[in-house]
Amino acid sequence: MAKQPTSVSAADSGQGAPPALRVHLAHEAIQVSIDGGEPAVARNLSLGGAFVLLPRRLPIGGKVTATLHYEQSKLTLAARVTHTQRDGVGLAFLELSSDARRFVTSVIGRMLSDGSPVDDRWRAARLPVSAAIIFSWPGGSASAQLRDLSATGAFVVTDAPPPVGEHALVYLAGYSYSNGGGIPSELRGGAAEVVRHAADGFGCRFVSPSAEFAMAVAELLRRAEEEVDDRDES
């Protein structure tokens, strides 16, 4: 059994789906060893996984053994590589036991009590959205499909993602209610930075979106919320 930190500041959330609460780690409080390698600094942590600052790349979808080091405690977990960025890799924890869940919850509670902030990137509501888009960057352009969307970014399904760190233009369908029914009327383009790669596409963050682009995003989110509400009522 893993040794528990001495102070527990958050309750066990049970065996349901992990909450979205992700704590941003400003200091080197938590380190993670992957497959027995040298410990590397974790940038954030949640019950669902962690982001580890790692200079080497790992294959997306690959399974690894991750050992979390916190003060004098440690916990070894099975994890899957979900995405890569320029500065590290994202890990999803697999099948947390009750002891493991209590350990991670306790560490998160300690971090919050010590003043670590919740990662702002996870505060924006992200909804599943299926919509055709076009994206372009200095290396080319392509048609693609959105998988999810928020006011601050999106995930684009494609087998040819731009490099992480590249700036691309993302074109969404604009809507006009003066054309007789709120159907797509023209494309609205906005700048986006590619922030991560996954097995089926890339995640991007919108950069200084224009009012027109923000309205197109808001319309897509509104329609997605209506679809969710319709499914809940059926």
Side-chain angles (χ1 to χ4, degrees):
M1 179 182 299
K3 179 183 175 183
Q4 299 297 314
T6 56
S7 174
V8 178
S9 302
D12 186 354
S13 62
Q15 293 298 322
L21 178 66
R22 185 177 296 267
V23 177
H24 180 74
L25 307 175
H27 307 291
E28 299 181 5
I30 299 174
Q31 297 193 336
V32 179
S33 302
I34 297 179
D35 289 338
E38 290 295 318
V41 174
R43 189 173 70 189
N44 57 41
L45 177 69
S46 76
L47 279 171
F51 187 88
V52 183
L53 300 178
L54 198 68
R56 61 190 174 95
R57 290 291 173 262
L58 298 175
I60 294 172
K63 292 184 179 180
V64 299
T65 299
T67 301
L68 278 62
H69 303 266
Y70 175 69
E71 295 182 343
Q72 302 303 311
S73 305
K74 66 179 181 179
L75 173 71
T76 299
L77 300 165
R80 176 173 55 84
V81 178
T82 59
H83 63 279
T84 62
Q85 296 180 192
R86 284 182 297 181
D87 54 350
V89 298
L91 301 177
F93 300 145
L94 303 176
E95 298 181 1
L96 285 181
S97 66
S98 296
D99 288 337
R101 186 177 293 273
R102 281 191 290 270
F103 180 94
V104 176
T105 299
S106 177
V107 171
I108 291 173
R110 289 285 296 276
M111 294 296 97
L112 291 173
S113 66
D114 289 343
S116 294
V118 174
D119 195 330
D120 286 338
R121 293 174 303 168
W122 296 88
R123 286 180 174 169
R126 186 174 295 273
L127 294 174
V129 170
S130 179
I133 68 164
I134 297 173
F135 67 91
S136 66
W137 76 103
S141 63
S143 299
Q145 196 81 10
L146 289 182
R147 189 178 72 189
D148 60 49
L149 179 69
S150 76
T152 59
F155 187 89
V156 179
V157 177
T158 177
D159 57 3
V164 171
E166 184 70 79
H167 281 73
L169 285 174
V170 175
Y171 295 92
L172 306 175
Y175 289 82
S176 172
Y177 287 94
S178 62
N179 60 15
I183 60 174
S185 58
E186 57 185 300
L187 294 177
R188 306 294 191 189
E193 179 186 3
V194 178
V195 295
R196 65 184 179 95
H197 282 173
D200 55 349
F202 67 91
C204 62
R205 176 181 62 86
F206 300 142
V207 179
S208 302
S210 67
E212 288 186 341
F213 186 79
M215 288 175 63
V217 170
E219 178 63 19
L220 284 173
L221 289 172
R222 186 188 68 80
R223 290 169 179 249
E225 288 177 344
E226 289 179 349
E227 290 178 1
V228 171
D229 291 342
D230 290 342
R231 286 196 297 268
D232 290 343
E233 292 174 358
S234 61

